[in-house]
Amino acid sequence: MLAGIIIPFILLTDIFPFLRLGMFAEPVKKETQKELFQVSYIDINNKETVLDSKSIGIEPHFFLYLARNHYYRNESEKFIVKISEISAQKNIKEWQIKKIIIPLEKGTRPDTTVVYRKPI
Amino acid sequence: MNKKSNLLLPFLLIAGTTLLMTMYILFIRELIYLAYQGKAPDWFNAIVQNFYPRFIVEKNRFDLAFFLAKADQVIIRFSVITLSGSLLLILYKRSEKLKAKLNLFWNQSSSLQNIRALRVLFFSSLIIIFHDVYFDLIALGKAKVFYKPILPLNFLGIGFPSDSIILILYISFIVSCLLCILNFKPILFSIITILDFILIQAFIFSFEKTDHGFVTFTYAGMILPFLLYEYEKAKQNQSEVKGWPLQLICTCICICYLLTGLEKIFISQLDWLHPDTLRAYLELHQAPLGLKVASNDFICSLLPALVLIFQLGFISILFNKKMKWVFLPAGILFHTGSYMLLNVGGFLNPWILGYLFFIDWGNLPLRKKPHNSDYAFFSFL
């Protein structure tokens, strides 16, 4: 039992059900910007709508976490395919993932980039 | 000859650690450099993927030095643990005094009333903290395209459960908790409960996110059937309960706190004490009270120091029981503070509920009152 608790500490990883307890231990730099991800779709009337993650049963913070993980793994396409599978939206022409950088300094505007497009 | 063979294991451990450190410096560090560049051999990439799946994500965010530092950490931690373990083993083999102290530590007994109360409180707490898990699992089921089974589920080829299986898991969890509370075949149903508890957590964690909130409760639950077995034995013999499982539960909880403290020191060294570290976390989590604290230099300097003292000092409870009256209230403040400042956890934190193992419920002042209803309740169960 004690070995089970200590091994994740040594290997810096979880070996479920034994978990590494490295919460808040990583060095952090003062954030100057906040990073968000947004999924939107364009319908056949060219109307763009931002996807509400709750409409597909995913809490917003969890959705953001998944989007970020997929983006940094270069799996944005996979992410969009999965989203389109569980979304009930019809007549969609294109799916998009946008990365939004919000500077924490007051008076500066967010910078939005489309990081992935998937035409249907 | 006997003495020599007694010392063989610690010396083998020391020799093995030295060999590993040499290999790391000469070969393994270079392989990490190659993995970062995407040029490492497939077998090494497979090892990295298994032990550090976030590597592929994090290498986009951190530079090579960060990963080399992590690898250094593994080697340093392994060396520290094996060398101190070997040293303890040598001392244990050679010192009769240490042997006696360790035997005394593990052989402390506990009263039947205490274990009875612990059983009721633990399983009641489990119901409270997991009462809504059915709805959480159903909600996750809607997003099951993102299901990425963690190691035991992956290994056993278990997919995300259907709604009806979720219901069965939930009902069996609640029913087995209730049966444990009612003392109906508590050993059997405590095993079912903990397996259920672990399985449900495995499903929840298979969406790329781990919740550390239940960790102490999980470890306690894994040991609890042994405590209930000792309880049943003691009840038959009308004796005290052998306390080693309870000591082991308390030791596990203390080690959890120690490791969270050591993680901070190993990873961030004394930088963790710098007010900017806490400030960065507070600004990242955007809790209203946290943002107020972030603007105060004194509090941002004081809190990290108090947290480290708390996490590293919690283990002193094992050696001096009076220390629990310092560290248990401090723990309640720590977890409540984490929730208010960082939005982490909640007021009803399972880490706090884990403190019930440190209290001798059979020896509370209220027991001395013969008509006390709380005591009567536990006696009935």
Side-chain angles (χ1 to χ4, degrees):
Chain A
M1 188 73 197
L2 295 178
I5 297 174
I6 291 169
I7 287 171
F9 169 75
I10 296 174
L11 296 179
L12 305 168
T13 189
D14 298 336
I15 302 172
F16 186 80
F18 299 102
L19 303 182
R20 180 193 168 208
L21 299 164
M23 312 84 86
F24 300 102
E26 301 287 347
V28 285
K29 288 178 189 138
K30 195 172 159 58
E31 295 282 327
T32 53
Q33 58 186 36
K34 207 174 168 181
E35 181 186 70
L36 292 177
F37 289 87
Q38 202 177 60
V39 170
S40 57
Y41 53 88
I42 299 169
D43 63 21
I44 47 173
N45 300 320
N46 282 332
K47 188 187 166 204
E48 186 180 344
T49 312
V50 175
L51 180 80
D52 176 10
S53 66
K54 283 188 175 172
S55 71
I56 51 169
I58 306 176
E59 286 297 318
H61 69 278
F62 180 44
F63 183 80
L64 180 63
Y65 185 85
L66 288 171
R68 182 183 289 125
N69 275 9
H70 281 78
Y71 172 75
Y72 282 115
R73 284 199 304 251
N74 295 322
E75 290 178 354
S76 292
E77 182 180 1
K78 223 185 237 181
F79 183 70
I80 279 293
V81 169
K82 287 175 181 174
I83 292 292
S84 60
E85 267 177 40
I86 50 175
S87 166
Q89 297 301 328
K90 304 277 178 211
N91 302 323
I92 291 171
K93 213 167 81 174
E94 186 178 280
W95 285 94
Q96 291 183 348
I97 302 183
K98 289 175 182 168
K99 184 180 172 191
I100 306 164
I101 301 292
I102 305 169
L104 293 177
E105 198 180 321
K106 279 179 188 166
T108 43
R109 295 177 60 190
D111 180 23
T112 305
T113 328
V114 177
V115 291
Y116 188 77
R117 282 176 203 278
K118 185 166 177 63
I120 304 294
Chain B
M1 180 65 193
N2 200 17
K3 270 189 181 175
K4 273 185 188 171
S5 64
N6 271 345
L7 295 175
L8 185 65
L9 179 66
F11 283 119
L12 276 177
L13 280 173
I14 293 168
T17 307
T18 314
L19 182 70
L20 178 78
M21 283 171 78
T22 314
M23 281 182 65
Y24 173 73
I25 293 163
L26 295 179
F27 309 111
I28 302 172
R29 239 173 168 263
E30 176 66 16
L31 284 169
I32 294 161
Y33 172 74
L34 291 173
Y36 187 79
Q37 303 287 331
K39 295 173 187 166
D42 288 345
W43 63 267
F44 189 74
N45 286 332
I47 293 174
V48 172
Q49 182 57 28
N50 272 317
F51 284 98
Y52 188 14
R54 284 184 301 155
F55 176 71
I56 202 156
V57 175
E58 290 187 346
K59 79 176 188 176
N60 293 293
R61 296 169 62 197
F62 300 109
D63 55 14
L64 174 67
F66 173 80
F67 297 102
L68 286 174
K70 276 209 163 191
D72 291 349
Q73 285 283 322
V74 174
I75 297 300
I76 292 168
R77 289 170 187 221
F78 179 79
S79 308
V80 168
I81 298 285
T82 47
L83 293 178
S84 45
S86 307
L87 192 68
L88 271 175
L89 209 55
I90 292 170
L91 282 173
Y92 179 78
K93 302 267 185 197
R94 299 196 140 215
S95 161
E96 289 302 320
K97 205 174 160 189
L98 183 69
K99 240 182 221 176
K101 275 192 174 175
L102 267 175
N103 285 338
L104 193 69
F105 177 79
W106 290 114
N107 291 326
Q108 288 178 41
S109 59
S110 186
S111 67
L112 286 165
Q113 290 92 333
N114 185 35
I115 308 304
R116 195 182 298 149
L118 278 175
R119 192 193 70 233
V120 173
L121 291 169
F122 178 80
F123 290 101
S124 305
S125 304
L126 269 185
I127 293 178
I128 292 166
I129 60 175
F130 251 25
H131 72 280
D132 55 355
V133 78
Y134 170 75
F135 301 102
D136 292 343
L137 284 172
I138 292 291
L140 281 174
K142 288 183 188 161
K144 66 180 166 198
V145 284
F146 291 106
Y147 177 66
K148 207 173 174 186
I150 54 173
L151 195 60
L153 298 178
N154 195 5
F155 184 71
L156 298 168
I158 300 176
F160 193 78
S162 62
D163 289 2
S164 48
I165 299 286
I166 292 173
L167 187 63
I168 292 169
L169 276 175
Y170 180 68
I171 291 174
S172 67
F173 175 75
I174 299 290
V175 169
S176 51
C177 276
L178 288 171
L179 291 175
C180 287
I181 293 169
L182 296 169
N183 202 24
F184 180 78
K185 296 201 180 297
I187 301 170
L188 173 69
F189 284 105
S190 65
I191 294 170
I192 292 173
T193 305
I194 194 63
L195 288 176
D196 218 338
F197 186 51
I198 290 173
L199 187 62
I200 290 171
Q201 285 184 71
F203 286 129
I204 294 172
F205 298 171
S206 291
F207 287 80
E208 304 192 25
K209 208 167 189 331
T210 306
D211 184 344
H212 295 87
F214 307 113
V215 79
T216 51
F217 245 54
T218 307
Y219 298 161
M222 287 160 82
I223 304 164
L224 205 69
F226 297 97
L227 185 61
L228 296 178
Y229 171 73
E230 294 294 350
Y231 169 81
E232 292 297 324
K233 256 187 9 186
K235 206 166 71 173
Q236 280 170 7
N237 303 334
Q238 284 299 308
S239 60
E240 290 268 279
V241 184
K242 281 185 186 167
W244 70 265
L246 185 56
Q247 282 294 85
L248 187 56
I249 290 173
C250 294
T251 305
C252 288
I253 295 172
C254 289
I255 288 181
C256 285
Y257 277 113
L258 180 69
L259 293 182
T260 52
L262 287 178
E263 282 280 4
K264 291 175 179 72
I265 291 176
F266 274 90
I267 295 277
S268 303
Q269 291 86 42
L270 291 178
D271 278 355
W272 203 82
L273 291 170
H274 198 279
D276 282 346
T277 303
L278 177 65
R279 192 172 289 125
Y281 275 120
L282 293 170
E283 286 173 358
L284 201 68
H285 287 257
Q286 297 280 308
L289 188 64
L291 291 174
K292 276 187 187 167
V293 168
S295 59
N296 187 310
D297 261 351
F298 174 71
I299 300 179
C300 283
S301 308
L302 181 70
L303 287 181
L306 290 176
V307 167
L308 262 191
I309 291 169
F310 165 70
Q311 291 182 333
L312 297 175
F314 195 91
I315 201 163
S316 65
I317 291 178
L318 290 181
F319 311 108
N320 183 351
K321 288 198 170 167
K322 283 181 185 164
M323 296 305 281
K324 70 183 172 192
W325 302 117
V326 175
F327 281 99
L328 300 190
I332 294 169
L333 280 177
F334 166 71
H335 291 292
T336 311
S338 300
Y339 174 56
M340 292 172 74
L341 298 178
L342 296 162
N343 258 338
V344 175
F347 282 116
L348 196 67
N349 192 312
W351 283 69
I352 296 176
L353 292 173
Y355 296 170
L356 58 92
F357 289 101
F358 292 94
I359 295 165
D360 185 354
W361 299 93
N363 203 20
L364 286 180
L366 54 87
R367 272 199 70 233
K368 285 166 189 161
K369 298 170 192 167
H371 299 297
N372 185 285
S373 59
D374 289 349
Y375 177 52
F377 177 71
F378 289 133
S379 298
F380 166 72
L381 293 164

